mmCIF file of all heavy atoms in Angstrom:
data_model
loop_
_atom_site.group_PDB
_atom_site.id
_atom_site.type_symbol
_atom_site.label_atom_id
_atom_site.label_comp_id
_atom_site.label_asym_id
_atom_site.label_seq_id
_atom_site.Cartn_x
_atom_site.Cartn_y
_atom_site.Cartn_z
ATOM 1 N N ILE A 196 -202.938 99.482 143.653
ATOM 2 C CA ILE A 196 -202.781 100.890 143.327
ATOM 3 C C ILE A 196 -202.373 101.024 141.865
ATOM 4 O O ILE A 196 -201.458 100.345 141.407
ATOM 5 C CB ILE A 196 -201.725 101.563 144.219
ATOM 6 C CG1 ILE A 196 -202.106 101.424 145.694
ATOM 7 C CG2 ILE A 196 -201.562 103.031 143.839
ATOM 8 C CD1 ILE A 196 -201.024 101.902 146.643
ATOM 9 N N THR A 197 -203.049 101.892 141.141
ATOM 10 C CA THR A 197 -202.663 102.225 139.779
ATOM 11 C C THR A 197 -202.636 103.733 139.618
ATOM 12 O O THR A 197 -203.407 104.451 140.246
ATOM 13 C CB THR A 197 -203.614 101.620 138.739
ATOM 14 O OG1 THR A 197 -204.955 102.058 138.998
ATOM 15 C CG2 THR A 197 -203.568 100.103 138.780
ATOM 16 N N ASN A 198 -201.747 104.209 138.772
ATOM 17 C CA ASN A 198 -201.623 105.631 138.495
ATOM 18 C C ASN A 198 -201.452 105.840 136.999
ATOM 19 O O ASN A 198 -200.823 105.039 136.317
ATOM 20 C CB ASN A 198 -200.439 106.237 139.242
ATOM 21 C CG ASN A 198 -200.569 106.126 140.741
ATOM 22 O OD1 ASN A 198 -200.000 105.233 141.362
ATOM 23 N ND2 ASN A 198 -201.330 107.045 141.337
ATOM 24 N N TYR A 199 -202.003 106.943 136.512
ATOM 25 C CA TYR A 199 -201.949 107.243 135.094
ATOM 26 C C TYR A 199 -201.596 108.704 134.867
ATOM 27 O O TYR A 199 -201.984 109.581 135.641
ATOM 28 C CB TYR A 199 -203.291 106.968 134.423
ATOM 29 C CG TYR A 199 -203.736 105.535 134.500
ATOM 30 C CD1 TYR A 199 -204.524 105.082 135.548
ATOM 31 C CD2 TYR A 199 -203.364 104.623 133.515
ATOM 32 C CE1 TYR A 199 -204.932 103.764 135.621
ATOM 33 C CE2 TYR A 199 -203.770 103.301 133.582
ATOM 34 C CZ TYR A 199 -204.550 102.879 134.637
ATOM 35 O OH TYR A 199 -204.959 101.566 134.701
ATOM 36 N N ALA A 200 -200.863 108.942 133.799
ATOM 37 C CA ALA A 200 -200.656 110.305 133.360
ATOM 38 C C ALA A 200 -201.985 110.886 132.904
ATOM 39 O O ALA A 200 -202.850 110.170 132.397
ATOM 40 C CB ALA A 200 -199.638 110.354 132.225
ATOM 41 N N ASP A 201 -202.151 112.190 133.083
ATOM 42 C CA ASP A 201 -203.404 112.826 132.699
ATOM 43 C C ASP A 201 -203.734 112.615 131.221
ATOM 44 O O ASP A 201 -204.904 112.511 130.850
ATOM 45 C CB ASP A 201 -203.351 114.325 133.004
ATOM 46 C CG ASP A 201 -203.385 114.619 134.492
ATOM 47 O OD1 ASP A 201 -203.817 113.749 135.271
ATOM 48 O OD2 ASP A 201 -202.988 115.736 134.881
ATOM 49 N N SER A 202 -202.714 112.538 130.394
ATOM 50 C CA SER A 202 -202.920 112.425 128.964
ATOM 51 C C SER A 202 -203.514 111.086 128.537
ATOM 52 O O SER A 202 -204.068 110.978 127.442
ATOM 53 C CB SER A 202 -201.603 112.661 128.219
ATOM 54 O OG SER A 202 -200.628 111.712 128.612
ATOM 55 N N VAL A 203 -203.399 110.068 129.383
ATOM 56 C CA VAL A 203 -203.898 108.744 129.024
ATOM 57 C C VAL A 203 -205.007 108.266 129.946
ATOM 58 O O VAL A 203 -205.595 107.204 129.702
ATOM 59 C CB VAL A 203 -202.763 107.696 129.007
ATOM 60 C CG1 VAL A 203 -201.625 108.164 128.121
ATOM 61 C CG2 VAL A 203 -202.262 107.408 130.418
ATOM 62 N N LYS A 204 -205.299 109.009 130.970
ATOM 63 C CA LYS A 204 -206.309 108.616 131.943
ATOM 64 C C LYS A 204 -207.664 108.422 131.270
ATOM 65 O O LYS A 204 -208.128 109.268 130.511
ATOM 66 C CB LYS A 204 -206.403 109.665 133.050
ATOM 67 C CG LYS A 204 -207.176 109.227 134.284
ATOM 68 C CD LYS A 204 -207.069 110.282 135.380
ATOM 69 C CE LYS A 204 -205.614 110.510 135.789
ATOM 70 N NZ LYS A 204 -205.484 111.536 136.859
ATOM 71 N N GLY A 205 -208.275 107.285 131.544
ATOM 72 C CA GLY A 205 -209.556 106.962 130.943
ATOM 73 C C GLY A 205 -209.449 106.229 129.629
ATOM 74 O O GLY A 205 -210.449 105.688 129.143
ATOM 75 N N ARG A 206 -208.262 106.185 129.034
ATOM 76 C CA ARG A 206 -208.054 105.495 127.765
ATOM 77 C C ARG A 206 -207.158 104.272 127.905
ATOM 78 O O ARG A 206 -207.357 103.273 127.215
ATOM 79 C CB ARG A 206 -207.435 106.436 126.730
ATOM 80 C CG ARG A 206 -208.301 107.645 126.403
ATOM 81 C CD ARG A 206 -207.725 108.439 125.235
ATOM 82 N NE ARG A 206 -206.399 108.977 125.536
ATOM 83 C CZ ARG A 206 -205.294 108.669 124.867
ATOM 84 N NH1 ARG A 206 -205.346 107.819 123.843
ATOM 85 N NH2 ARG A 206 -204.127 109.222 125.195
ATOM 86 N N PHE A 207 -206.168 104.349 128.786
ATOM 87 C CA PHE A 207 -205.224 103.254 128.986
ATOM 88 C C PHE A 207 -205.511 102.547 130.299
ATOM 89 O O PHE A 207 -205.946 103.174 131.276
ATOM 90 C CB PHE A 207 -203.786 103.777 129.028
ATOM 91 C CG PHE A 207 -203.258 104.307 127.720
ATOM 92 C CD1 PHE A 207 -204.083 104.513 126.627
ATOM 93 C CD2 PHE A 207 -201.910 104.605 127.601
ATOM 94 C CE1 PHE A 207 -203.589 105.008 125.431
ATOM 95 C CE2 PHE A 207 -201.401 105.095 126.413
ATOM 96 C CZ PHE A 207 -202.229 105.301 125.327
ATOM 97 N N THR A 208 -205.241 101.252 130.333
ATOM 98 C CA THR A 208 -205.410 100.465 131.542
ATOM 99 C C THR A 208 -204.183 99.592 131.760
ATOM 100 O O THR A 208 -203.796 98.827 130.878
ATOM 101 C CB THR A 208 -206.657 99.568 131.471
ATOM 102 O OG1 THR A 208 -207.819 100.372 131.261
ATOM 103 C CG2 THR A 208 -206.827 98.796 132.775
ATOM 104 N N ILE A 209 -203.571 99.715 132.932
ATOM 105 C CA ILE A 209 -202.414 98.907 133.278
ATOM 106 C C ILE A 209 -202.860 97.735 134.142
ATOM 107 O O ILE A 209 -203.762 97.871 134.974
ATOM 108 C CB ILE A 209 -201.341 99.754 133.994
ATOM 109 C CG1 ILE A 209 -200.047 98.963 134.167
ATOM 110 C CG2 ILE A 209 -201.846 100.272 135.334
ATOM 111 C CD1 ILE A 209 -198.882 99.808 134.690
ATOM 112 N N SER A 210 -202.242 96.591 133.949
ATOM 113 C CA SER A 210 -202.563 95.418 134.742
ATOM 114 C C SER A 210 -201.328 94.529 134.850
ATOM 115 O O SER A 210 -200.331 94.733 134.147
ATOM 116 C CB SER A 210 -203.737 94.635 134.129
ATOM 117 O OG SER A 210 -203.412 94.171 132.829
ATOM 118 N N ARG A 211 -201.394 93.559 135.737
ATOM 119 C CA ARG A 211 -200.278 92.634 135.888
ATOM 120 C C ARG A 211 -200.791 91.272 136.296
ATOM 121 O O ARG A 211 -201.866 91.141 136.895
ATOM 122 C CB ARG A 211 -199.258 93.150 136.909
ATOM 123 C CG ARG A 211 -199.768 93.205 138.345
ATOM 124 C CD ARG A 211 -198.767 93.904 139.253
ATOM 125 N NE ARG A 211 -197.512 93.191 139.341
ATOM 126 C CZ ARG A 211 -196.375 93.704 139.806
ATOM 127 N NH1 ARG A 211 -196.351 94.970 140.216
ATOM 128 N NH2 ARG A 211 -195.276 92.974 139.854
ATOM 129 N N ASP A 212 -200.017 90.253 135.980
ATOM 130 C CA ASP A 212 -200.314 88.886 136.358
ATOM 131 C C ASP A 212 -199.053 88.316 136.977
ATOM 132 O O ASP A 212 -198.133 87.904 136.274
ATOM 133 C CB ASP A 212 -200.752 88.066 135.144
ATOM 134 C CG ASP A 212 -201.249 86.687 135.519
ATOM 135 O OD1 ASP A 212 -200.887 86.175 136.588
ATOM 136 O OD2 ASP A 212 -202.017 86.096 134.724
ATOM 137 N N ASN A 213 -198.997 88.313 138.291
ATOM 138 C CA ASN A 213 -197.792 87.880 138.978
ATOM 139 C C ASN A 213 -197.498 86.395 138.770
ATOM 140 O O ASN A 213 -196.342 85.975 138.804
ATOM 141 C CB ASN A 213 -197.897 88.191 140.472
ATOM 142 C CG ASN A 213 -197.805 89.676 140.768
ATOM 143 O OD1 ASN A 213 -197.387 90.464 139.920
ATOM 144 N ND2 ASN A 213 -198.198 90.065 141.963
ATOM 145 N N ALA A 214 -198.533 85.602 138.562
ATOM 146 C CA ALA A 214 -198.338 84.181 138.325
ATOM 147 C C ALA A 214 -197.616 83.924 137.005
ATOM 148 O O ALA A 214 -196.910 82.927 136.861
ATOM 149 C CB ALA A 214 -199.671 83.442 138.352
ATOM 150 N N LYS A 215 -197.793 84.819 136.036
ATOM 151 C CA LYS A 215 -197.169 84.681 134.729
ATOM 152 C C LYS A 215 -195.985 85.618 134.528
ATOM 153 O O LYS A 215 -195.378 85.631 133.457
ATOM 154 C CB LYS A 215 -198.192 84.919 133.628
ATOM 155 C CG LYS A 215 -199.340 83.921 133.614
ATOM 156 C CD LYS A 215 -200.305 84.214 132.486
ATOM 157 C CE LYS A 215 -201.426 83.198 132.451
ATOM 158 N NZ LYS A 215 -202.395 83.476 131.357
ATOM 159 N N ASN A 216 -195.676 86.413 135.536
ATOM 160 C CA ASN A 216 -194.570 87.376 135.454
ATOM 161 C C ASN A 216 -194.734 88.326 134.268
ATOM 162 O O ASN A 216 -193.789 88.579 133.517
ATOM 163 C CB ASN A 216 -193.225 86.660 135.370
ATOM 164 C CG ASN A 216 -192.839 85.976 136.658
ATOM 165 O OD1 ASN A 216 -193.452 86.182 137.705
ATOM 166 N ND2 ASN A 216 -191.803 85.152 136.597
ATOM 167 N N THR A 217 -195.934 88.831 134.106
ATOM 168 C CA THR A 217 -196.206 89.734 133.000
ATOM 169 C C THR A 217 -196.962 90.968 133.466
ATOM 170 O O THR A 217 -197.656 90.954 134.477
ATOM 171 C CB THR A 217 -197.027 89.052 131.890
ATOM 172 O OG1 THR A 217 -198.261 88.571 132.436
ATOM 173 C CG2 THR A 217 -196.259 87.899 131.276
ATOM 174 N N MET A 218 -196.809 92.021 132.693
ATOM 175 C CA MET A 218 -197.539 93.254 132.888
ATOM 176 C C MET A 218 -198.026 93.699 131.522
ATOM 177 O O MET A 218 -197.375 93.440 130.509
ATOM 178 C CB MET A 218 -196.632 94.330 133.500
ATOM 179 C CG MET A 218 -197.306 95.676 133.666
ATOM 180 S SD MET A 218 -196.179 96.982 134.253
ATOM 181 C CE MET A 218 -195.011 97.081 132.905
ATOM 182 N N SER A 219 -199.158 94.369 131.482
ATOM 183 C CA SER A 219 -199.699 94.789 130.204
ATOM 184 C C SER A 219 -200.230 96.211 130.276
ATOM 185 O O SER A 219 -200.491 96.754 131.349
ATOM 186 C CB SER A 219 -200.805 93.840 129.738
ATOM 187 O OG SER A 219 -201.924 93.903 130.604
ATOM 188 N N LEU A 220 -200.377 96.802 129.105
ATOM 189 C CA LEU A 220 -200.969 98.130 128.975
ATOM 190 C C LEU A 220 -201.971 98.071 127.835
ATOM 191 O O LEU A 220 -201.583 97.930 126.673
ATOM 192 C CB LEU A 220 -199.902 99.187 128.694
ATOM 193 C CG LEU A 220 -200.396 100.630 128.601
ATOM 194 C CD1 LEU A 220 -200.848 101.128 129.979
ATOM 195 C CD2 LEU A 220 -199.310 101.544 128.044
ATOM 196 N N GLN A 221 -203.239 98.142 128.175
ATOM 197 C CA GLN A 221 -204.293 98.177 127.177
ATOM 198 C C GLN A 221 -204.520 99.626 126.769
ATOM 199 O O GLN A 221 -204.866 100.457 127.606
ATOM 200 C CB GLN A 221 -205.582 97.573 127.729
ATOM 201 C CG GLN A 221 -206.758 97.600 126.764
ATOM 202 C CD GLN A 221 -206.533 96.739 125.544
ATOM 203 O OE1 GLN A 221 -206.089 95.602 125.665
ATOM 204 N NE2 GLN A 221 -206.825 97.278 124.364
ATOM 205 N N MET A 222 -204.320 99.922 125.508
ATOM 206 C CA MET A 222 -204.436 101.274 125.002
ATOM 207 C C MET A 222 -205.642 101.354 124.068
ATOM 208 O O MET A 222 -205.679 100.681 123.038
ATOM 209 C CB MET A 222 -203.163 101.700 124.274
ATOM 210 C CG MET A 222 -201.901 101.550 125.111
ATOM 211 S SD MET A 222 -200.420 102.179 124.266
ATOM 212 C CE MET A 222 -200.344 101.038 122.883
ATOM 213 N N ASN A 223 -206.601 102.168 124.434
ATOM 214 C CA ASN A 223 -207.801 102.356 123.639
ATOM 215 C C ASN A 223 -207.895 103.792 123.153
ATOM 216 O O ASN A 223 -207.316 104.703 123.739
ATOM 217 C CB ASN A 223 -209.046 102.015 124.450
ATOM 218 C CG ASN A 223 -209.097 100.568 124.883
ATOM 219 O OD1 ASN A 223 -208.635 99.673 124.178
ATOM 220 N ND2 ASN A 223 -209.685 100.322 126.051
ATOM 221 N N ARG A 224 -208.652 103.975 122.083
ATOM 222 C CA ARG A 224 -208.866 105.304 121.506
ATOM 223 C C ARG A 224 -207.552 106.046 121.304
ATOM 224 O O ARG A 224 -207.361 107.171 121.769
ATOM 225 C CB ARG A 224 -209.826 106.114 122.384
ATOM 226 C CG ARG A 224 -211.256 105.577 122.376
ATOM 227 C CD ARG A 224 -212.158 106.389 123.300
ATOM 228 N NE ARG A 224 -211.936 106.072 124.695
ATOM 229 C CZ ARG A 224 -211.853 106.968 125.670
ATOM 230 N NH1 ARG A 224 -211.972 108.258 125.394
ATOM 231 N NH2 ARG A 224 -211.665 106.566 126.917
#
């Protein structure tokens, strides 16, 4: 499940890697 604020929807992508204990936010445009 992922959720985004309307202001960033379609531009930002959230992801996580549980094996590495990391989370990221790819911000485009």
